[in-house]
Amino acid sequence: MSGFAAKAVIILIVVTLVVVLVARFFRRVTPAKPGTRRQRMPLLVPLVGAALTVAGSLLALAAFSPQYKPELLPTRIASAVVVLAGLAALLAYRNWYLEVFSDAVRFRTVLGREKRIDYRDIAAFQVKKAAGRERLTVRSRDGVRLSVDTARYSVAPLLAAARSAAS
């Protein structure tokens, strides 16, 4: 691929990403469905993951040129790390969710394991302030542990049940 064609493709991808980001900021927010209880990570996580994946792929295109030069080795390693970091962010967004019910909380970990904590099985809880935000950590009698940001996720029933279980 000639240098001009590579630059044209990179500029086209960057312009497309900018247009998509601007369109997302100006779109209308639709209210959540009333029956939906599933809470996910912020939308920034998959956007950053996609941007890292695209940037790493472009870096890999430049680094894995037909002529091998020893000074390209760090660029090859960096491109692989950036692509893997982007894919990890996309996988984490796809897997993780939180559902708060009146009698239990159900969630899936970043690695995809489904877990459940019944409110009557809460053994311990702790509310800590980290980086200026409150973080609730709940542990069940079975050893299942959940840690969430109380400002980002609606966990009022879980917090009330944890406080009543402690008293």
Side-chain angles (χ1 to χ4, degrees):
M1 182 186 302
S2 71
F4 176 74
K7 289 177 187 175
V9 169
I10 291 171
I11 290 172
L12 182 65
I13 290 172
V14 168
V15 168
T16 304
L17 283 174
V18 168
V19 167
V20 167
L21 287 174
V22 169
R24 291 209 52 92
F25 282 121
F26 289 107
R27 75 179 178 128
R28 289 187 183 194
V29 176
T30 56
K33 296 177 188 173
T36 304
R37 294 178 183 231
R38 190 169 285 188
Q39 301 176 52
R40 291 200 167 272
M41 289 180 181
L43 193 58
L44 183 65
V45 173
L47 289 177
V48 167
L52 284 174
T53 304
V54 168
S57 299
L58 291 175
L59 187 61
L61 279 175
F64 287 94
S65 65
Q67 299 126 352
Y68 176 75
K69 297 177 185 166
E71 53 269 359
L72 286 179
L73 184 62
T75 309
R76 289 179 175 186
I77 294 170
S79 67
V81 168
V82 171
V83 167
L84 289 176
L87 291 176
L90 290 172
L91 182 69
Y93 179 78
R94 182 194 170 280
N95 282 344
W96 192 90
Y97 70 82
L98 174 72
E99 289 178 328
V100 180
F101 298 103
S102 60
D103 62 339
V105 62
R106 201 174 85 185
F107 61 98
R108 191 179 336 163
T109 65
V110 173
L111 298 177
R113 297 184 66 194
E114 301 242 354
K115 297 185 178 187
R116 177 185 171 103
I117 298 176
D118 291 326
Y119 295 156
R120 66 179 184 275
D121 292 337
I122 293 176
F125 86 100
Q126 182 180 24
V127 178
K128 285 193 291 190
K129 207 161 198 173
R133 300 178 71 99
E134 283 190 356
R135 189 152 195 84
L136 172 66
T137 304
V138 178
R139 187 177 304 274
S140 74
R141 290 186 183 110
D142 301 334
V144 177
R145 190 176 76 95
L146 171 66
S147 182
V148 292
D149 183 0
T150 59
R152 182 171 308 269
Y153 301 102
S154 176
V155 291
L158 174 63
L159 187 58
R163 286 190 173 138
S164 69
S167 56

